[in-house]
Amino acid sequence: MKTQHKHRSLFPFPAALLLFLCLLLLPGISSHAADIPKKVRAYPGTVSTVSFDLPKYGMVIKNLKTSSKNLVVKVTGTEDAQNPYTKTSSSSATLSVYAKKAGTYKVTFDLYYRSGKKSSRKTIRVYAASDSAVKSCTFNGKPISYGFTSAKSGKIKVTMNKGYKLKKVEIGKTRVKKSGKNTSSSIVYKTIKNGQKVTLSTTPYQYGNETTSITGAYSKYYNTNLAAYTYVRVTYADKYTKLTDTVTYSLMKLVS
């Protein structure tokens, strides 16, 4: 399934200190769509999830089925929200699927209003295949793999497998923002040309805060990382669904 992700942390911590760290976010692990998708990608032997908005507030999914015993599906998340001030409301759902083996399957379900009246029937086609989109992602001619690099800069080159179309390559670096006594970090991405030479980040993740309450209670904390990460985000068109997906790699560099 797609890797337009619904949230996950972008900041690795020291537990991930491995040689030339590669955060390969496999497409199909999780995704979020504004509408109920008609096609999704999955990987055999892996639980994949897709989250989507429902047409009306309070809707529920019933009669969830798959076209084969080789595909397991379950509703693993629901969310309903209302805001009386803005007079807005929304509902969403998450489906998890597990493909026992490669193949093309169908997931069907019915949507019901809160009143119990049936709204419509939906079908999602699931393409379960084990091949990967990226054939290789290299830094200075060597595959990005687990561990550190001492290089200050190098060329990033992405090669796709047959049938997958490369759309863009981006480099992400940590940006630290300080506001008063607060320190926060975010990842900022910039599009580069495939094969372009880039300078690696030397700025680690940082987060801190200092507060004094009206009662005089005082607290101060600060977190950072031993390494600075440079992310390589590859955006491509999936071979099976033709939808846009991403996969992300990481280069790790020790900083003083």
Side-chain angles (χ1 to χ4, degrees):
M1 296 184 176
K2 296 171 59 183
T3 50
Q4 263 55 7
H5 320 290
K6 191 175 173 177
H7 290 196
R8 63 180 70 128
S9 172
L10 291 174
F11 307 119
F13 284 87
L17 297 181
L18 304 169
L19 289 182
F20 230 97
L21 179 65
C22 169
L23 294 180
L24 178 57
L25 305 180
L26 286 176
I29 297 304
S30 68
S31 64
H32 183 84
D35 300 311
I36 299 173
K38 295 182 178 179
K39 299 179 289 184
V40 295
R41 174 68 186 272
Y43 287 78
T46 300
V47 175
S48 303
T49 65
V50 58
S51 299
F52 47 82
D53 296 330
L54 297 174
K56 296 290 183 180
Y57 171 75
M59 275 188 160
V60 295
I61 292 175
K62 294 184 179 181
N63 306 319
L64 181 64
K65 298 179 181 179
T66 67
S67 60
S68 170
K69 63 181 181 180
N70 290 319
L71 184 72
V72 179
V73 63
K74 182 180 180 179
V75 177
T76 54
T78 59
E79 183 177 350
D80 294 311
Q82 281 186 317
N83 189 324
Y85 297 101
T86 60
K87 296 182 180 180
T88 58
S89 60
S90 63
S91 292
S92 63
T94 297
L95 298 181
S96 293
V97 299
Y98 177 81
K100 297 179 181 179
K101 62 180 182 179
T104 301
Y105 308 97
K106 286 184 180 180
V107 171
T108 58
F109 57 88
D110 297 322
L111 287 179
Y112 279 77
Y113 294 108
R114 285 188 297 168
S115 63
K117 181 181 178 181
K118 181 179 176 179
S119 168
S120 58
R121 186 167 181 79
K122 299 295 182 180
T123 299
I124 300 176
R125 188 177 295 273
V126 179
Y127 297 89
S130 58
D131 62 323
S132 61
V134 178
K135 184 176 182 179
S136 65
C137 182
T138 61
F139 176 69
N140 280 337
K142 296 182 180 181
I144 296 178
S145 55
Y146 293 102
F148 295 99
T149 176
S150 59
K152 294 182 179 180
S153 62
K155 291 184 178 181
I156 300 293
K157 176 68 175 179
V158 176
T159 303
M160 306 300 292
N161 277 314
K162 185 177 180 180
Y164 294 91
K165 182 181 178 181
L166 178 64
K167 301 189 76 171
K168 65 178 177 179
V169 180
E170 299 169 282
I171 293 297
K173 297 181 181 180
T174 299
R175 175 180 291 175
V176 177
K177 181 180 180 180
K178 294 186 177 182
S179 178
K181 297 179 180 180
N182 298 322
T183 302
S184 60
S185 297
S186 61
I187 301 299
V188 178
Y189 282 92
K190 178 183 178 180
T191 301
I192 65 168
K193 293 181 179 180
N194 193 17
Q196 181 178 325
K197 184 178 181 179
V198 300
T199 300
L200 298 187
S201 175
T202 57
T203 303
Y205 157 83
Q206 299 173 51
Y207 187 76
N209 180 263
E210 184 178 355
T211 59
T212 301
S213 71
I214 58 175
T215 62
Y218 174 79
S219 68
K220 180 180 179 180
Y221 60 88
Y222 177 76
N223 292 308
T224 188
N225 207 327
L226 183 63
Y229 291 79
T230 300
Y231 299 92
V232 182
R233 186 165 68 184
V234 180
T235 301
Y236 63 93
D238 185 75
K239 175 180 178 179
Y240 301 93
T241 66
K242 308 306 178 185
L243 300 175
T244 298
D245 245 316
T246 63
V247 60
T248 304
Y249 301 84
S250 290
L251 292 165
M252 185 168 66
K253 183 178 180 64
L254 287 175
V255 292
S256 57

